[in-house]
Amino acid sequence: MRSRVWPLMRFLIKGSVAGGVVYLVYDQQLLGPSDKSQAALQKAEEVVPQAMYQFSQYVCEQTGLKIPQLPAPPKFNFHVHEAWNSGVIAVMSALSAAPSKACEYTKEGWEYLKERVK
């Protein structure tokens, strides 16, 4: 019985996490305009270190362990808008060149095999 319950529990936990992530992305409109993504990134930079510190303090109190102080997170001067556009352009150019490159590599492979068989 135990062996059947554990995979089901794992599936439910993973599904819940995935569903939560999809809801968070939709709720925060992270796939929308880049200014909203930038605002969400700045909000996460402010909230996550405090939450990690509070969690580590809670773990220390409950377990009696001493967790060393984490170093401050690095500051990034990163604009999502610029990186997003360059990433989309790179992916689209690779996808548009993929059929011709696949044909080219196939021809090269056949020529190589013909030479090796002789």
Side-chain angles (χ1 to χ4, degrees), residues 26-50:
Y26 177 76
D27 185 50
Q28 298 293 321
Q29 299 176 349
L30 295 179
L31 296 178
S34 62
D35 58 340
K36 294 203 181 219
S37 301
Q38 184 72 27
L41 181 62
Q42 289 174 350
K43 184 178 178 183
E45 286 177 350
E46 296 169 1
V47 173
V48 170
Q50 292 174 349

Short mmCIF file of all heavy atoms in Angstrom, two decimals, residues 26-50:
data_model
loop_
_atom_site.label_atom_id
_atom_site.label_comp_id
_atom_site.label_asym_id
_atom_site.label_seq_id
_atom_site.Cartn_x
_atom_site.Cartn_y
_atom_site.Cartn_z
N TYR A 26 0.65 34.09 -14.14
CA TYR A 26 -0.53 34.73 -14.70
C TYR A 26 -0.97 35.91 -13.85
O TYR A 26 -1.29 36.98 -14.37
CB TYR A 26 -1.67 33.71 -14.81
CG TYR A 26 -2.95 34.30 -15.32
CD1 TYR A 26 -3.12 34.60 -16.66
CD2 TYR A 26 -3.99 34.58 -14.45
CE1 TYR A 26 -4.30 35.16 -17.13
CE2 TYR A 26 -5.17 35.14 -14.90
CZ TYR A 26 -5.33 35.43 -16.24
OH TYR A 26 -6.47 35.98 -16.69
N ASP A 27 -0.98 35.73 -12.52
CA ASP A 27 -1.45 36.77 -11.62
C ASP A 27 -0.55 38.01 -11.65
O ASP A 27 -1.03 39.14 -11.63
CB ASP A 27 -1.53 36.22 -10.19
CG ASP A 27 -2.13 37.22 -9.23
OD1 ASP A 27 -3.21 37.76 -9.54
OD2 ASP A 27 -1.52 37.44 -8.16
N GLN A 28 0.75 37.80 -11.71
CA GLN A 28 1.70 38.91 -11.74
C GLN A 28 1.92 39.45 -13.15
O GLN A 28 2.69 40.38 -13.33
CB GLN A 28 3.04 38.48 -11.15
CG GLN A 28 2.98 38.05 -9.70
CD GLN A 28 2.65 39.21 -8.79
OE1 GLN A 28 3.13 40.32 -8.99
NE2 GLN A 28 1.84 38.95 -7.78
N GLN A 29 1.30 38.86 -14.13
CA GLN A 29 1.41 39.26 -15.53
C GLN A 29 2.87 39.30 -15.99
O GLN A 29 3.33 40.25 -16.63
CB GLN A 29 0.73 40.60 -15.77
CG GLN A 29 -0.74 40.58 -15.47
CD GLN A 29 -1.38 41.95 -15.61
OE1 GLN A 29 -0.70 42.96 -15.74
NE2 GLN A 29 -2.70 41.99 -15.60
N LEU A 30 3.61 38.23 -15.67
CA LEU A 30 5.03 38.19 -16.01
C LEU A 30 5.27 37.93 -17.48
O LEU A 30 6.37 38.18 -17.98
CB LEU A 30 5.74 37.13 -15.17
CG LEU A 30 5.75 37.41 -13.67
CD1 LEU A 30 6.46 36.29 -12.94
CD2 LEU A 30 6.41 38.74 -13.38
N LEU A 31 4.29 37.43 -18.20
CA LEU A 31 4.46 37.22 -19.63
C LEU A 31 3.94 38.38 -20.44
O LEU A 31 3.86 38.32 -21.65
CB LEU A 31 3.75 35.92 -20.05
CG LEU A 31 4.32 34.66 -19.41
CD1 LEU A 31 3.51 33.45 -19.86
CD2 LEU A 31 5.77 34.48 -19.75
N GLY A 32 3.60 39.46 -19.77
CA GLY A 32 3.10 40.65 -20.44
C GLY A 32 4.24 41.61 -20.75
O GLY A 32 5.35 41.21 -21.10
N PRO A 33 3.98 42.89 -20.57
CA PRO A 33 4.99 43.90 -20.87
C PRO A 33 6.23 43.76 -19.97
O PRO A 33 6.15 43.28 -18.85
CB PRO A 33 4.27 45.22 -20.58
CG PRO A 33 2.83 44.90 -20.50
CD PRO A 33 2.71 43.46 -20.16
N SER A 34 7.37 44.17 -20.50
CA SER A 34 8.62 43.99 -19.77
C SER A 34 8.70 44.87 -18.53
O SER A 34 9.43 44.54 -17.60
CB SER A 34 9.80 44.26 -20.69
OG SER A 34 9.77 45.59 -21.14
N ASP A 35 7.98 45.98 -18.50
CA ASP A 35 8.06 46.82 -17.31
C ASP A 35 7.44 46.12 -16.10
O ASP A 35 7.91 46.27 -14.98
CB ASP A 35 7.39 48.18 -17.55
CG ASP A 35 5.94 48.06 -17.97
OD1 ASP A 35 5.54 46.97 -18.43
OD2 ASP A 35 5.21 49.07 -17.86
N LYS A 36 6.42 45.29 -16.32
CA LYS A 36 5.84 44.52 -15.22
C LYS A 36 6.81 43.43 -14.76
O LYS A 36 6.92 43.16 -13.57
CB LYS A 36 4.51 43.92 -15.63
CG LYS A 36 3.47 44.96 -15.88
CD LYS A 36 2.11 44.40 -15.72
CE LYS A 36 1.13 45.52 -16.02
NZ LYS A 36 0.00 45.52 -15.17
N SER A 37 7.53 42.82 -15.70
CA SER A 37 8.53 41.82 -15.34
C SER A 37 9.65 42.45 -14.55
O SER A 37 10.15 41.88 -13.57
CB SER A 37 9.08 41.15 -16.59
OG SER A 37 8.05 40.53 -17.31
N GLN A 38 10.08 43.64 -14.96
CA GLN A 38 11.13 44.36 -14.24
C GLN A 38 10.68 44.70 -12.83
O GLN A 38 11.45 44.56 -11.87
CB GLN A 38 11.50 45.63 -15.01
CG GLN A 38 12.66 46.40 -14.41
CD GLN A 38 13.98 45.71 -14.60
OE1 GLN A 38 14.16 44.96 -15.54
NE2 GLN A 38 14.90 45.96 -13.70
N ALA A 39 9.44 45.13 -12.68
CA ALA A 39 8.91 45.46 -11.35
C ALA A 39 8.84 44.22 -10.47
O ALA A 39 9.16 44.27 -9.28
CB ALA A 39 7.54 46.10 -11.48
N ALA A 40 8.45 43.08 -11.05
CA ALA A 40 8.39 41.83 -10.28
C ALA A 40 9.78 41.39 -9.86
O ALA A 40 9.98 40.90 -8.73
CB ALA A 40 7.71 40.74 -11.10
N LEU A 41 10.77 41.58 -10.72
CA LEU A 41 12.14 41.23 -10.37
C LEU A 41 12.66 42.10 -9.22
O LEU A 41 13.29 41.60 -8.29
CB LEU A 41 13.05 41.37 -11.59
CG LEU A 41 14.52 41.02 -11.41
CD1 LEU A 41 14.68 39.57 -11.02
CD2 LEU A 41 15.30 41.33 -12.67
N GLN A 42 12.37 43.38 -9.27
CA GLN A 42 12.79 44.28 -8.18
C GLN A 42 12.07 43.93 -6.88
O GLN A 42 12.68 43.95 -5.80
CB GLN A 42 12.52 45.73 -8.56
CG GLN A 42 13.44 46.23 -9.64
CD GLN A 42 13.07 47.63 -10.12
OE1 GLN A 42 12.01 48.15 -9.78
NE2 GLN A 42 13.95 48.23 -10.92
N LYS A 43 10.80 43.57 -6.97
CA LYS A 43 10.05 43.18 -5.78
C LYS A 43 10.64 41.91 -5.18
O LYS A 43 10.78 41.81 -3.95
CB LYS A 43 8.59 42.96 -6.17
CG LYS A 43 7.68 42.64 -5.02
CD LYS A 43 6.24 42.49 -5.53
CE LYS A 43 5.30 42.12 -4.43
NZ LYS A 43 3.94 41.92 -4.92
N ALA A 44 11.01 40.95 -6.02
CA ALA A 44 11.62 39.71 -5.54
C ALA A 44 12.97 39.98 -4.89
O ALA A 44 13.31 39.36 -3.88
CB ALA A 44 11.77 38.71 -6.68
N GLU A 45 13.75 40.91 -5.45
CA GLU A 45 15.04 41.25 -4.86
C GLU A 45 14.89 41.83 -3.46
O GLU A 45 15.76 41.67 -2.62
CB GLU A 45 15.79 42.24 -5.75
CG GLU A 45 16.35 41.63 -7.00
CD GLU A 45 17.01 42.66 -7.90
OE1 GLU A 45 16.89 43.88 -7.64
OE2 GLU A 45 17.67 42.25 -8.86
N GLU A 46 13.77 42.50 -3.21
CA GLU A 46 13.53 43.08 -1.90
C GLU A 46 12.98 42.05 -0.91
O GLU A 46 13.34 42.06 0.26
CB GLU A 46 12.56 44.25 -2.01
CG GLU A 46 13.08 45.41 -2.82
CD GLU A 46 12.00 46.44 -3.12
OE1 GLU A 46 10.84 46.24 -2.67
OE2 GLU A 46 12.30 47.42 -3.81
N VAL A 47 12.11 41.18 -1.36
CA VAL A 47 11.37 40.30 -0.46
C VAL A 47 12.14 39.01 -0.15
O VAL A 47 12.13 38.55 1.00
CB VAL A 47 9.99 39.97 -1.08
CG1 VAL A 47 9.27 38.92 -0.27
CG2 VAL A 47 9.17 41.22 -1.19
N VAL A 48 12.80 38.42 -1.12
CA VAL A 48 13.41 37.10 -0.93
C VAL A 48 14.49 37.10 0.15
O VAL A 48 14.50 36.21 1.00
CB VAL A 48 13.92 36.54 -2.27
CG1 VAL A 48 14.77 35.31 -2.06
CG2 VAL A 48 12.75 36.22 -3.18
N PRO A 49 15.43 38.05 0.19
CA PRO A 49 16.44 38.01 1.26
C PRO A 49 15.84 38.08 2.66
O PRO A 49 16.28 37.37 3.57
CB PRO A 49 17.34 39.21 0.97
CG PRO A 49 17.17 39.47 -0.48
CD PRO A 49 15.76 39.10 -0.78
N GLN A 50 14.81 38.91 2.85
CA GLN A 50 14.18 39.00 4.16
C GLN A 50 13.49 37.69 4.52
O GLN A 50 13.58 37.23 5.65
CB GLN A 50 13.15 40.14 4.17
CG GLN A 50 13.75 41.50 4.06
CD GLN A 50 12.68 42.58 3.93
OE1 GLN A 50 11.51 42.27 3.72
NE2 GLN A 50 13.10 43.82 4.06
#
